[in-house]
Amino acid sequence: MSGGTSVGVRLASHFATVEQQKHAAVLGMWAWLLTELLLFAGLFLTALILRLTHPEAVQAAARHLKFWIGAVNTVVLIGSSLTMSGAIQLSRLGWQRGMVRFMLATAALGTLFLALKGYEYYADYHEHMMPFLSDRPYALTDSPPSRLFVNLYYVATGLHGLHLLTGIAILLAMTRQASRPGFLAAHQNRIEIFGLYWHFIDLIWIVAFPTLYVLNR
Amino acid sequence: MTSGTITDGPALRDPHTPDSRIGHGPDYLHAEHTLRSWFFTTDHKRIALLYLASITAFFVIGAVTAGLVRLALVVPDGQVFTNDTYNKLFTIHGVVMVWFFLIPSIPATFGNFLIPLMIGARDLAFPKLNLASWYVFMTGAFFTLVSVVLGGVDTGWTFYTPLSTAFSNTWVVPALIGVTIVGFSSILTGLNFVVTIHTMRAPGMTWFRLPIFVWTHYATSLIFLLATPVITVALVLLIAERAFHIGVFDPAYGGDPVLFQHLFWFYSHPAVYIMVLPGMGVISEIVPAFAQKKLFGYRFVAYAAIGLASVTFFVWGHHMFVNGQSDLASVAFSVLSFAVAVPSAVKVYNWTATIHKGSLKLDTPMLYAMGYIGLFVLGGLTGLYLATLAINQHVHATYFVVAHFHYIMVGGTVLAFLGGLHFWWPKFTGRMYIEAWGRISAVLIFIGFNVTFFPQFILGYLGMPRRYHVYPAEFQFLNILSSAGSTILAVGYIFPMIYLVYAIWFGKRAPANPWDARGLEWTVASPPPAHNFLTEPQAPKVPYDYPIQARETGRQHS
Ligand code: HEM
Ligand SMILES: [Cu+2]
């Protein structure tokens, strides 16, 4: 515990105890993640059904996905989960400044992911792999189901990207709050709760990558 | 309750709470007076009233469009409106009534107000999220209203593909965006309830001391959390399909229009239990209070709520018997749908057993509750007809289906809503309404409802399809009967809007417990103090501890 400031949670007026408040926050986040899981499950399921009904078309489309960018991005996100865990550990110890650094690293890795993803989208655009653009003819015209697969790929990765973007925004807002002393004394559990969300975004990608990229190669 | 006379002055406008009654600071209505204090409140009781005002407005929109639909059906040749207008009218009616009235109705108003009081908490676990859910709700409503103002939607509330994606020339996308957004407000409300019920119960308030109202809201919240995201995906895909033609619901691209039906009903069948379970909770509070008798089979009623919330996820295919799904699937969905009737019946039997040998008082809430039980039975039994494969071939997409779901959603949920409104109105506002008017309206609504919807069973059985306004002339008599009934129903709805609002200012002051009912919400003043409990709430040892005990073994004699 050396060097840390005090760690705790300020009691909100409608709770009886801090324990109760923390329990509520954790349960709330898990409930939210459960609904998120079902949201993504619906999408992945649709993609898997398409894969079963039109295997060749899906494979033809998946060959255009940038496997290596996807793979690198998987590593990047796992890395960001590690730095996030680091931030959580440090927050428990009360090392506020170290925690902020780890949070910034997490945000940086998240941004790197988005940058790589953006580059991937750009390359897709270049290869005429954006079938939903009406003014840009689609590359695999002879395979309509592949068009659907690519579109689902955009819906799923787009929705994931949106979650990541939200995550980065919250993370940056929290680092700002945490740059003032005394943050951990009042709000330590915000870090824990946010950590759950961050790991979840990571997990969704870890499911998306095999479903979209690996399985169809 | 004696009929009210004009009493001691305006309650809401009166800035000083009469201290003879409370003496511990102002109640939640008088705590603050600015508009800001309403629109930025985090008090669950005030948020409940924000919701109540909004859903009442939507109910009026839904009711007016329903009236126009019934007007069109008075003549068989479809001359009242154009086909397009008629299609838009029943679509607005369905969309508004389902998503903007029924789904939020009881949970977002009574649930919001009462759950913290019933479990002995100061507020919901996440008060700001609760307020946010109202803003999310209003944002969704805004989009849907925009689509109506721009010219409406004609797909029906079910948004079936390919009509909604490829053929409709109306404002489908803004309507879909609205409904998608509203889903998030449901999710936030459900999340808040689940967490609150798990973590905020007062010391001693164990799960089996909770009122059934809390149990049914817990079950409803689980459905909110588990089913709503699936409709969100379905609607997002539908928006993408319509806006960008991505191909998910288009066979030309390997998509499947029936996939939409699967996703839609995977949510929307459980959603019918979102609409019906909270009402069951209301009835389970009203019936023991007006029979002054302990709720019969408490544990069974509680488990039945959870049972309904579970089985309801496995019956969605009963909406798709005639769309080419495999026979095996149809048989399975049929059998599972029959299974749903079991927990539903458990509840009905327990309510009737509670009434049996109780000391009955037929006040307004109880009249609504009794109406509910009768109409819910009819609606549920006709659900079994519909779940029978052979009968379904005959009556699918006819007025029989329309009558079935209106018996449950209007005869059931709306009556429960009104019953609850009258039961807890003294608690919400601190005022009593005029009892005689309450009884008259309850009876009018019951009669009007049956005259409106019973003929529709017959019409459907004779083969009148739903969603058409041109029909064979021999169906005209029953249609006129139905339309006539709807005017009685309308009068029955307008009365409470008048006398309940009137009571806010001019009603007699309500005591803390006007019905001699049990439950923690009746231990606090009416209206409750801003922070609910002035002293630590004492959880009762037994729920529904009324003077008359239910004899559940059947062997005891008095
Ligand atoms: C005992 C339980 C129930 C059973 C077995 C049941 C069965 C069915 C079946 C088989 C259908 C499909 C009819 C068809 O389209 O051919 C149906 C339609 C419907 N039911 Fe039920 N139902 C039950 C309870 C409920 C409840 C509690 C509600 C609402 C609160 C409800 C609302 C609806 C609605 C809205 C439709 C029509 C949907 C549409 O096509 O627009 N049902 N029901
Ligand atoms: Cu159903």
Side-chain angles (χ1 to χ4, degrees), chain A residues 13-15 20 39 145 147 151, chain B residues 122 124-125 199 233 245-246:
Chain A
S13 69
H14 60 293
F15 288 105
Q20 187 187 38
L39 187 90
R147 182 177 178 279
N151 278 324
Chain B
R122 264 169 267 176
L124 290 177
T199 60
V233 178
H245 205 105
I246 65 168

Side-chain angles (χ1 to χ4, degrees), chain B residues 265 269 272 315 318-319:
Chain B
W265 288 115
H269 185 82
V272 308
V315 302
H318 66 209
H319 296 273

Side-chain angles (χ1 to χ4, degrees), chain A residues 104-142:
Chain A
L104 286 173
T106 310
L109 286 170
T111 314
L112 178 62
F113 177 99
L114 286 182
L116 286 172
K117 193 79 218 158
Y119 174 73
E120 191 181 352
Y121 283 159
Y122 173 74
D124 293 334
Y125 177 80
H126 219 69
E127 293 172 21
H128 288 254
M129 289 299 286
M130 288 206 171
F132 55 88
L133 295 180
S134 46
D135 55 347
R136 203 165 166 87
Y138 172 56
L140 305 172
T141 26
D142 51 333

Side-chain angles (χ1 to χ4, degrees), chain B residues 157-158 160 265 269 272-273 275-276 318-319 321 337-338 340-341 344 376 379-384 386-387 392 395-397 401 404-405 408-409 413 466-467:
Chain B
W157 78 281
T158 44
Y160 269 19
W265 288 115
H269 185 82
V272 308
Y273 282 89
M275 300 180 230
V276 87
H318 66 209
H319 296 273
F321 286 151
S337 302
F338 282 114
V340 176
S344 309
F376 178 73
L381 285 179
T382 50
L384 295 180
L386 287 168
N392 189 280
V395 293
H396 174 75
V401 177
H404 153 70
F405 66 75
I408 296 179
M409 306 214 276
T413 307
R466 59 192 288 205
R467 294 184 176 170

Side-chain angles (χ1 to χ4, degrees), chain B residues 465-551:
Chain B
R466 59 192 288 205
R467 294 184 176 170
Y468 288 83
H469 67 151
V470 180
Y471 57 84
E474 63 259 37
F475 293 150
Q476 191 175 15
F477 172 71
L478 287 171
N479 270 301
I480 291 181
L481 192 61
S482 174
S483 297
S486 66
T487 59
I488 306 178
L489 197 54
V491 175
Y493 287 147
I494 290 171
F495 278 167
M497 291 193 196
I498 298 171
Y499 65 71
L500 286 180
V501 174
Y502 175 85
I504 299 179
W505 284 281
F506 304 110
K508 254 183 19 174
R509 289 206 183 275
N513 188 359
W515 316 114
D516 200 7
R518 301 297 180 273
L520 284 180
E521 82 269 31
W522 302 109
T523 63
V524 298
S526 306
H531 294 286
N532 294 355
F533 296 96
L534 301 172
T535 54
E536 180 82 9
Q538 289 299 313
K541 291 254 158 4
V542 211
Y544 302 99
D545 195 10
Y546 284 99
I548 307 175
Q549 297 291 314
R551 300 228 180 286

Side-chain angles (χ1 to χ4, degrees), chain B residues 247-501:
Chain B
V248 246
F249 302 129
D250 185 348
Y253 295 102
D256 185 353
V258 176
L259 176 65
F260 177 74
Q261 293 183 27
H262 279 291
L263 292 174
F264 181 86
W265 288 115
F266 183 83
Y267 163 78
S268 291
H269 185 82
V272 308
Y273 282 89
I274 291 177
M275 300 180 230
V276 87
L277 275 165
M280 294 174 155
V282 171
I283 301 305
S284 305
E285 300 305 311
I286 295 179
V287 166
F290 290 90
Q292 285 293 307
K293 187 171 162 204
K294 190 175 183 324
L295 181 72
F296 186 87
Y298 171 90
R299 282 195 184 224
F300 283 96
V301 183
Y303 286 136
I306 305 298
L308 282 175
S310 326
V311 186
T312 192
F313 279 98
F314 304 100
V315 302
W316 78 90
H318 66 209
H319 296 273
M320 301 162 61
F321 286 151
V322 299
N323 76 357
Q325 98 189 340
S326 80
D327 287 346
L328 184 65
S330 287
V331 170
F333 280 123
S334 173
V335 171
L336 285 164
S337 302
F338 282 114
V340 176
V342 176
S344 309
V346 166
K347 298 222 169 210
V348 171
Y349 286 132
N350 284 288
W351 295 321
T352 23
T354 307
I355 294 174
H356 179 68
K357 293 198 174 160
S359 100
L360 278 197
K361 280 187 297 174
L362 292 182
D363 290 316
T364 311
M366 188 60 171
L367 291 181
Y368 280 115
M370 308 243 290
Y372 174 101
I373 297 173
L375 300 181
F376 178 73
V377 167
L378 264 173
L381 285 179
T382 50
L384 295 180
Y385 286 57
L386 287 168
T388 312
L389 294 176
I391 300 179
N392 189 280
Q393 295 285 325
H394 181 63
V395 293
H396 174 75
T398 67
Y399 264 82
F400 193 89
V401 177
V402 176
H404 153 70
F405 66 75
H406 281 89
Y407 263 77
I408 296 179
M409 306 214 276
V410 182
T413 307
V414 178
L415 286 205
F417 177 76
L418 287 169
L421 201 60
H422 287 81
F423 188 47
W424 285 296
W425 194 252
K427 186 55 60 188
F428 295 166
T429 64
R431 299 287 175 143
M432 302 303 296
Y433 50 88
I434 302 171
E435 176 63 22
W437 282 107
R439 292 190 195 178
I440 293 173
S441 314
V443 173
L444 274 182
I445 289 176
F446 185 79
I447 296 171
F449 175 83
N450 281 296
V451 178
T452 308
F453 290 103
F454 198 84
Q456 297 184 3
F457 279 128
I458 307 172
L459 280 169
Y461 191 75
L462 296 176
M464 174 154 165
R466 59 192 288 205
R467 294 184 176 170
Y468 288 83
H469 67 151
V470 180
Y471 57 84
E474 63 259 37
F475 293 150
Q476 191 175 15
F477 172 71
L478 287 171
N479 270 301
I480 291 181
L481 192 61
S482 174
S483 297
S486 66
T487 59
I488 306 178
L489 197 54
V491 175
Y493 287 147
I494 290 171
F495 278 167
M497 291 193 196
I498 298 171
Y499 65 71
L500 286 180
V501 174

